[in-house]
Amino acid sequence: MPTLYDYILSDDCYKVRLLLSMLSVGYETRKVDVHPGRENCRPAFLSLNPLGRIPVLVDGDLVLRGPSSILTYIALQYDRARCFLPEGAAALAQVEMWLSFAETELSAISDIRANELFRLAPATDIAVLRRRADRAMEVLEDHLAEGEIVGRRWVAADRPTIADLALFPPVALSAEAGLPIEPYPSIWRWLHRVKNLPGFVVMPGVLPLLPKVAV
Amino acid sequence: MPKTTDRVALDQWHAIGTCAHIPLGAARKTKLLGQDIEIVRSDSGAFACYELHADGSAAPVPHLCEMYGFLWVCLGTPAQPIVAIPEFAETGRRLILRGVIGVASSPQRVIENFIDLSHFSFIHTGTLGGYDNAEVPKYNVEYREDGTELWATECRFFQPKASAATNLSTEVLYDYRIPSAFISIIYKDSLVRRGKKDLIGLFLQPVEEEETLVHSFALVHDETNSDTHILHFYHEIFGQDRGVLIHQTPKKLPVSPRRDIPTLSDASSIAYRRWLDKSGLQFGLDRNLS
Amino acid sequence: MGQLNIINPWSWYAIAASGQLARGQILPIVLNGTPLVTWRSQSDKVSVWSDRCPHRGMRLSLGATRDEILICPYHGWVFGADGACAHIPAHPQLTPSRAARARIYPVTESNGYVWACLGEPAAPQPIVRNRTGNALSHVRTMHVSVDIETVVVALMTRSLLDESDASDWAGEALEWRSDEGAVVAHRNGAHPLFTARLTFPGFLSCEAAGPEGIVRYSALVQPTMPGASALHLAVDGSARDVEKLPVVLNRGLVRLRDELHSRSHDAALSAAAERCAALMPDQIHG
């Protein structure tokens, strides 16, 4: 059974928790005291991930860091039906393209959010991060808007993939980074499509779909 | 925004961090009531605090105190002593310092959310409440210590998971204590030690009127879980609250009864707003009539 | 401030394409600085409310809808489609106070769009003078970080099919005239045919020569925040008339937005705005 080194407020960990839930994969959780303990910066954790970040997934002898590689591994190892990771060069590459977008562009949202939360001095100027975050949302909005025109409801394929799950957490939490959502109506609708997927779970800051309430 | 002129706010003690957060020989900058300040720790461990001014000068802040593992500062003249929490000196509980968390809202909005029960079923579903038991029974509101402290007592709520220590779905009793505008402490039944109380407290640092640093602690009975496990339970709860706080408008807390329609279970919030209104406090409050 | 940027409290403004607000869906929008929530009930009733729960100021757009109700996510307060709170979960036996109601705004649907008014509407329906008589087939709602006047004028001086870098942002090569209360910009002669017709408060219909013939598209403008606006782009006529036209138009719109955001054409667009303003009617109805 894999072990996830996890922190409840981490949006990167949430990417992995989403996929594990949607694939009904059992796993152990090892809670890491990121804040205030900064356990991820201490030698014991660094021997697991020298970059000092979570999530880390340990499965047998395999130790993986970085949400993209962890998502890819879980999808290949535990999803025999390949629901979340299509086959074929073009399809795979498109998933990869959006996984990469999540890492390089949406990380700006995560960084601003982390700064708002924990008030540790950010490595990059907040104004620079904000411009990158705004542009990333704009690019994603354009892509999803075109998708709505041509009938493609998910970012990288005709069905949800790990690319959607990698993009969802920072975008769903973008208000915590001070970003508005009203300029991005296609993103808004896509967020609700993801929330409606079987096995969807929330994290603090992501509101659940409310149940049938009797009036 | 410059330093506030609100004397009521200035004459209070405010927590600005934990003592352990500043190593020997180090310094940390922060902001309190619009004023940039710096805390300096000598090599021998003693703390000093300075107001930092735009011209580069630094004025020493005389009122600085260590208590409960936190550093407290008063930028004016303290009108009251720091809140008395004798439970910190008792044994038997685990102390969890929860780490500072920033919230882009007024400190009063944070307190009001902290003392509210009727959101448990919707925001803390599965832990502090559930959809099937959303009804909030009547509770008591009273003033203590000569009117300087507001209390909500005999609050009760059915909780699927009241703390990290338990999975026992049961009714839990709560008392809420608000000894000052920016501090609140929950006293709730421990389900591990019957008859004993767990404490969860917020010491808010009012940075700006719409920006708060939340310092918090838990003093809980728990014999099974690691510190991190308990910590994450509270981070989950507060993270869920924060997800609401950032979306409330206005960010400053309205005090006029014509704003924000209350219901019965808002008795403590109504009392809190009225109490704030009468205190003369301005900082963080929205005094518009509509 | 340009006249187009004056927002009328009696005008209808398009806020969403009807087809993009399905039954049971909620959408947050901003209209002239006012945060609003629009949603459609299961019986197809569309509502526009202030995006703020009257209880403790939480955003209603982050809640849920079911049947004919909207539920606030904070305390689960249930609001009926008339805006009144019908149920408070903390007190199931209580009849909620009549003061517990969402602030509602006039709303209507026509021409394939949901429209809202921030005050008392002067007309029962928005007046969309689409001279072709065709239905509008929605392509995309796009938000831009420039004011209404700038984006409208940019749409009047440049065809969305124009992929060239050099463009007449100032509209110098266009003939400008007023016509029955509308402002028309027209380019003919050696350049590809292009006509843009602006009626107020914010309906633009354009005709442009494309590789496969004349293309007609429309834009409905929505004031959002100071210095920002949204436009709802539609194909005039059935989208099946020209395959891939919606994609082509959307890409043209993306190019236009990127040009506007580069701020390289501000001076030229100001000049074009003056040409337009000189022809605008003194009074705007509808």
Side-chain angles (χ1 to χ4, degrees):
Chain A
M1 178 173 286
T3 297
L4 176 66
Y5 285 71
D6 184 50
Y7 174 38
I8 188 66
L9 295 184
S10 160
D11 57 342
D12 277 342
C13 291
Y14 182 39
K15 299 173 186 178
V16 179
R17 296 197 299 260
L18 277 170
L19 183 61
L20 289 168
S21 173
M22 290 183 185
L23 290 175
S24 302
V25 175
Y27 65 100
E28 306 230 330
T29 300
R30 167 72 172 74
K31 295 178 195 277
V32 180
D33 181 6
V34 170
H35 183 75
R38 294 172 62 85
E39 182 185 348
N40 50 304
C41 302
R42 297 212 291 269
F45 187 86
L46 291 174
S47 64
L48 204 59
N49 177 8
L51 302 184
R53 286 183 224 130
I54 43 150
V56 169
L57 191 84
V58 175
D59 199 359
D61 291 332
L62 181 66
V63 178
L64 285 175
R65 63 171 181 260
S68 297
S69 30
I70 295 173
L71 288 172
T72 301
Y73 170 70
I74 294 169
L76 288 168
Q77 181 70 5
Y78 292 99
D79 174 17
R80 299 300 175 182
R82 295 292 291 262
C83 293
F84 282 94
L85 191 57
E87 312 210 36
L92 269 172
Q94 284 185 284
V95 170
E96 179 57 44
M97 186 169 80
W98 288 100
L99 287 177
S100 179
F101 179 87
E103 297 263 358
T104 63
E105 307 312 309
L106 293 186
S107 56
I109 299 179
S110 304
D111 291 346
I112 298 171
R113 172 178 172 268
N115 180 56
E116 287 289 306
L117 267 168
F118 307 124
R119 302 301 167 98
L120 305 165
T124 313
D125 181 58
I126 291 285
V128 169
L129 288 173
R130 180 61 195 258
R131 279 195 294 277
R132 190 172 337 138
D134 287 338
R135 180 61 184 152
M137 292 288 278
E138 200 172 68
V139 168
L140 182 60
E141 173 73 10
D142 284 344
H143 178 69
L144 290 170
E146 189 172 278
E148 286 181 322
I149 294 170
V150 303
R152 183 190 64 233
R153 291 152 49 86
W154 306 99
V155 288
D158 289 330
R159 63 179 192 279
T161 64
I162 56 174
D164 297 277
L165 303 186
L167 297 174
F168 180 85
V171 175
L173 295 165
S174 55
E176 293 189 20
L179 273 62
I181 196 65
E182 295 88 347
Y184 313 112
S186 299
I187 291 180
W188 171 270
R189 284 185 284 270
W190 166 79
L191 287 172
H192 281 70
R193 290 197 284 279
V194 176
K195 284 191 178 186
N196 270 297
L197 289 173
F200 177 78
V201 289
V202 295
M203 74 163 270
V206 178
L207 288 166
L209 297 171
L210 290 175
K212 314 291 182 199
V213 172
V215 178
Chain B
M1 298 255 111
K3 178 181 180 182
T4 188
T5 53
D6 179 349
R7 283 249 61 92
V8 175
L10 287 168
D11 289 342
Q12 290 186 22
W13 285 102
H14 303 281
I16 50 110
T18 55
C19 302
H21 183 59
I22 307 177
L24 298 178
R28 290 280 184 275
K29 292 195 171 108
T30 185
K31 189 185 282 193
L32 178 61
L33 297 168
Q35 174 65 52
D36 289 320
I37 61 174
E38 185 168 29
I39 316 298
V40 178
R41 193 166 194 190
S42 72
D43 291 330
S44 63
F47 290 97
C49 178
Y50 300 90
E51 287 191 7
L52 302 176
H53 298 139
D55 61 4
S57 63
V61 175
H63 302 289
L64 173 69
C65 185
E66 295 170 57
M67 196 167 289
Y68 313 128
F70 289 87
L71 273 175
W72 299 78
V73 166
C74 175
L75 296 181
T77 310
Q80 302 278 344
I82 294 172
V83 56
I85 309 173
E87 288 83 0
F88 269 100
E90 293 172 7
T91 56
R93 294 185 185 88
R94 308 262 297 276
L95 171 64
I96 308 292
L97 294 176
R98 298 178 5 176
V100 66
I101 294 185
V103 180
S105 193
S106 64
Q108 291 90 334
R109 280 285 194 200
V110 178
I111 296 287
E112 191 176 70
N113 162 268
F114 188 70
I115 65 175
D116 172 61
L117 290 144
S118 52
H119 71 276
F120 286 172
S121 294
F122 297 93
I123 300 299
H124 308 303
T125 321
T127 51
L128 304 187
Y131 296 129
D132 293 334
N133 288 289
E135 183 163 7
V136 178
K138 193 170 191 308
Y139 57 89
N140 208 34
V141 172
E142 63 192 57
Y143 295 90
R144 298 187 187 174
E145 307 298 323
D146 224 4
T148 62
E149 296 199 5
L150 174 62
W151 284 74
T153 61
E154 295 166 63
C155 310
R156 55 187 66 236
F157 209 72
F158 188 87
Q159 303 199 316
K161 187 176 171 61
S163 74
T166 180
N167 280 312
L168 187 69
S169 287
T170 186
E171 190 181 69
V172 179
L173 287 175
Y174 271 72
D175 289 334
Y176 292 93
R177 175 185 181 195
I178 309 166
S180 79
F182 306 127
I183 294 174
S184 185
I185 303 156
I186 285 171
Y187 300 81
K188 72 188 272 188
D189 282 350
S190 165
L191 298 176
V192 170
R193 288 290 178 83
R194 295 290 174 174
K196 296 286 192 182
K197 296 283 190 186
D198 286 344
L199 276 69
I200 300 118
L202 301 187
F203 300 145
L204 301 186
Q205 176 181 342
V207 175
E208 300 280 7
E209 289 197 271
E210 298 184 356
E211 193 189 332
T212 304
L213 288 177
V214 179
H215 305 287
S216 58
F217 69 90
L219 272 168
V220 294
H221 298 90
D222 187 324
E223 276 135 31
T224 45
N225 294 302
S226 69
D227 283 0
T228 305
H229 198 101
I230 302 171
L231 175 74
H232 285 195
F233 179 82
Y234 292 115
H235 277 196
E236 178 172 7
I237 302 285
F238 188 68
Q240 289 164 338
D241 286 320
R242 191 172 174 277
V244 168
L245 288 163
I246 62 166
H247 289 298
Q248 276 181 289
T249 54
K251 289 183 182 288
K252 290 193 264 193
L253 189 73
V255 288
S256 163
R258 269 186 259 161
R259 318 271 303 278
D260 283 4
I261 311 301
T263 188
L264 300 171
S265 46
D266 297 317
S268 58
S269 131
I270 294 166
Y272 177 59
R273 293 183 182 205
R274 223 177 263 148
W275 188 63
L276 291 172
D277 193 10
K278 284 178 17 189
S279 72
L281 182 72
Q282 303 290 331
F283 192 93
L285 297 178
D286 181 331
R287 288 178 176 277
N288 292 321
L289 292 176
S290 62
Chain C
M1 181 173 69
Q3 204 170 332
L4 268 172
N5 289 326
I6 297 169
I7 309 307
N8 303 322
W10 62 81
S11 289
W12 291 105
Y13 291 95
I15 58 169
S18 295
Q20 288 189 326
L21 187 71
R23 291 199 197 110
Q25 284 189 345
I26 303 171
L27 185 69
I29 66 133
V30 182
L31 183 60
N32 198 27
T34 304
L36 300 172
V37 55
T38 185
W39 61 285
R40 190 188 297 276
S41 75
Q42 288 302 324
S43 73
D44 232 5
K45 180 176 179 342
V46 178
S47 299
V48 172
W49 296 351
S50 170
D51 191 5
R52 187 184 179 275
C53 182
H55 181 209
R56 288 286 178 267
M58 175 59 177
R59 291 183 67 166
L60 290 170
S61 57
L62 298 173
T65 172
R66 180 174 90 79
D67 297 333
E68 303 301 300
I69 62 174
L70 186 73
I71 305 167
C72 178
Y74 195 1
H75 304 93
W77 282 27
V78 175
F79 293 88
D82 60 351
C85 177
H87 177 72
I88 293 174
H91 309 290
Q93 313 308 323
L94 179 73
T95 301
S97 147
R98 281 161 49 147
R101 51 175 48 249
R103 171 145 182 214
I104 66 177
Y105 287 86
V107 59
T108 189
E109 279 194 277
S110 76
N111 297 96
Y113 287 90
V114 177
W115 304 72
C117 179
L118 287 171
E120 281 297 322
Q125 291 293 318
I127 301 164
V128 174
R129 296 187 191 87
N130 190 16
R131 282 144 64 101
T132 65
N134 291 333
L136 297 177
S137 182
H138 181 69
V139 172
R140 172 175 181 182
T141 296
M142 173 176 276
H143 286 247
V144 291
S145 303
V146 294
D147 60 35
I148 284 199
E149 180 179 78
T150 306
V151 69
V152 164
V153 164
L155 284 164
M156 294 185 80
T157 60
R158 182 190 163 103
S159 159
L160 289 181
L161 301 177
D162 185 352
E163 292 185 37
S164 66
D165 284 334
S167 286
D168 175 26
W169 293 95
E172 284 159 354
L174 296 166
E175 296 165 12
W176 294 78
R177 67 177 200 278
S178 72
D179 176 37
E180 295 173 4
V183 176
V184 179
H186 176 68
R187 182 174 65 221
N188 208 342
H191 307 278
L193 172 73
F194 175 68
T195 305
R197 183 185 183 86
L198 173 67
T199 55
F200 301 94
F203 175 64
L204 194 64
S205 67
C206 301
E207 246 181 40
E212 291 167 39
I214 300 290
V215 163
R216 293 185 184 84
Y217 58 87
S218 298
L220 295 164
V221 292
Q222 173 192 338
T224 54
M225 298 290 291
S229 46
L231 59 101
H232 308 281
L233 179 69
V235 171
D236 185 329
S238 166
R240 289 186 294 275
D241 291 345
V242 183
E243 200 186 280
K244 298 213 169 179
L245 181 60
V247 171
V248 168
L249 286 175
N250 178 41
R251 292 196 176 165
L253 190 61
V254 168
R255 268 196 309 275
L256 183 83
R257 178 205 62 211
D258 290 347
E259 292 277 7
L260 289 173
H261 287 183
S262 74
R263 320 250 40 153
S264 318
H265 313 291
D266 284 4
L269 286 167
S270 286
E274 279 179 23
R275 292 191 166 88
C276 183
L279 295 163
M280 281 174 60
D282 291 329
Q283 281 207 309
I284 296 172
H285 303 281

